Amino acid sequence: MLWITAGTQLLTAVLEAIPGGAETWIAPPGAIFGALAPLYAPALIAVLLTLPAIRHVDGIAVIDRLREVVAS
């Protein structure tokens, strides 16, 4: 749920950077980078903190698979 919220907030920030109305579909790179500047939503910061946890869990899974291969 955290990843969905963070992704939605990031997409919202990028889409809000597009100047103009419904006719405009392309934003200049400066506007997009300006929209992604700090103040970040708490969900975006929390996603960065979940990355090491996912990496750790993935590492444990790799070690378990290696143990199974060595045991057989």
Side-chain angles (χ1 to χ4, degrees), residues 12-61:
T12 301
V14 170
L15 293 178
E16 285 177 349
I18 300 174
E23 311 80 44
T24 306
W25 287 90
I26 300 173
I32 293 174
F33 290 130
L36 297 177
L39 295 164
Y40 297 117
L44 293 175
I45 296 169
V47 164
L48 294 176
L49 298 175
T50 63
L51 293 175
I54 292 172
R55 178 74 176 166
H56 175 71
V57 170
D58 187 43
I60 291 173

Side-chain angles (χ1 to χ4, degrees), residues 53-68:
I54 292 172
R55 178 74 176 166
H56 175 71
V57 170
D58 187 43
I60 291 173
V62 169
I63 291 172
D64 289 342
R65 282 183 258 149
L66 286 174
R67 286 182 183 154
E68 290 175 5

